[in-house]
Amino acid sequence: MKIFLDTAHIEHIRTAAECGCVDGVTTNPTLISREEGQFEDIVREICEIVQGPVSAEVVSTDADGMVEEAKKLADIHECVVVKIPMLLEGVKALHRLKELGIKTNCTLVFSANQALLAAKAGATFVSPFIGRLDDAGHVGMDLVREVLAIYENYGFETEVIVASVRHPLHVVEAGVSGAHITTMPYAVFEKMFKHPFTDVGLERFLADWEKVKGRS
Ligand code: E4P
C-alpha cells in the first residue's frame, strides 16, 4: 500500500520522506491555510521533496473555472495532481482533464455512486473520506470496500486513496481492504512507529548492555 501524507507542513513532509516511507502528499485549502507562504510555492516545494503525486485543490465550482485552475496547477510541477470536488461540474472537469492528460484526484467522496462516476469520467485517484463518515455514525471503511469491489468488477484503473484518516487502525483496515493508498495526517504517521513493547524491550536491551560494558 502506498502511504501519502495529508499535510502541507514542509518539515513534517521532509522528515517522513527521509524515512523512505512516503509515496505522495495530499493537500486541501484547509491544510494550506495552516501554513505560511504562497500556495504555488508550497506546492512546488512539496513536489521537490516527495517526487511523487502531490494533490493541490481547485476552488472554482464550475467546470470551466476548474479546468483553467487545473492547467495552472499542473504547470507548477510534473508531480501535481489536481484535486477536483465531487460535483456534476467537477465530473465534467475530470472528463476534460483526462483528455488533456492532467492527473486528477476526485475529493469529498462519500458514496460508492460518486466514486463510480469519478472513475467513469477518468479520475486518476478517488478519495473516500472515511473519518468524516465515522464521525456521522457510518462505517467509513464499508465505503472503501464497496468502491474497491466496483472498480475490481469492471476493471476501472482509478486508484483509491483512503482519506480523512483519524488513527492507525484506519491504516491497518485500509491495508487489509486492498486500497491502493492511504493518506494520513503526520500525527497518525508518527503513531505507526510506536508500540509500548518496543520501548520496554529497547530499555531492557540497553540496560543489559550496560552490564556487558562493565566487564573487564
Ligand atoms: C484528503 O485528501 C483530505 O485532504 C483529507 O483526508 C480530509 O480529511 P479531514 O476529514 O481530516 O479534514
Side-chain angles (χ1 to χ4, degrees):
M1 183 175 66
K2 283 177 248 176
I3 291 180
F4 286 7
L5 278 188
D6 197 27
T7 181
H9 192 81
I10 297 294
E11 287 319 311
H12 287 167
I13 294 167
R14 208 185 292 283
T15 302
E18 283 169 1
C19 296
C21 299
V22 177
D23 302 293
V25 165
T26 50
T27 70
N28 63 40
T30 304
L31 295 172
I32 294 287
S33 74
R34 292 181 190 152
E35 309 303 324
E36 300 291 331
Q38 293 299 313
F39 177 37
E40 294 78 7
D41 296 339
I42 296 171
V43 170
R44 188 176 303 106
E45 195 168 356
I46 296 172
C47 289
E48 282 162 8
I49 297 168
V50 299
Q51 295 295 330
V54 174
S55 292
E57 190 160 340
V58 299
V59 289
S60 299
T61 51
D62 64 294
D64 288 343
M66 289 184 204
V67 170
E68 283 319 300
E69 272 188 68
K71 287 180 188 166
K72 290 184 187 136
L73 289 171
D75 274 348
I76 295 175
H77 195 281
E78 60 186 6
C79 290
V80 168
V81 171
V82 181
K83 235 179 180 184
I84 302 284
M86 169 41 73
L87 304 166
L88 187 147
E89 287 294 307
V91 174
K92 282 191 206 169
L94 290 172
H95 182 53
R96 283 166 54 186
L97 293 169
K98 164 86 177 168
E99 314 240 296
L100 291 171
I102 294 176
K103 290 192 175 146
T104 53
N105 173 2
C106 184
T107 189
L108 291 167
V109 167
F110 293 94
S111 79
N113 282 336
Q114 290 178 327
L116 173 60
L117 294 170
K120 285 193 78 70
T124 318
F125 302 98
V126 68
S127 293
F129 275 38
I130 63 166
R132 293 192 195 184
L133 281 168
D134 288 357
D135 292 345
H138 300 277
V139 179
M141 278 307 302
D142 282 351
L143 171 59
V144 172
R145 287 184 277 269
E146 285 174 356
V147 174
L148 288 168
I150 292 169
Y151 285 7
E152 171 76 17
N153 285 346
Y154 300 101
F156 288 113
E157 288 177 2
T158 304
E159 289 190 59
V160 176
I161 305 179
V162 177
S164 184
V165 159
R166 301 272 193 262
H167 48 71
L169 189 54
H170 274 152
V171 185
V172 174
E173 290 177 311
V176 172
S177 77
H180 308 87
I181 302 150
T182 298
T183 189
M184 65 195 74
Y186 185 74
V188 173
F189 178 75
E190 270 189 317
K191 284 181 189 160
M192 286 172 68
F193 288 84
K194 305 278 184 194
H195 196 287
F197 289 177
T198 306
D199 298 340
V200 169
L202 181 61
E203 207 175 304
R204 188 176 306 157
F205 284 154
L206 294 179
D208 288 342
W209 189 248
E210 286 302 312
K211 297 175 205 162
V212 176
K213 271 171 60 185
R215 289 178 193 160
S216 55

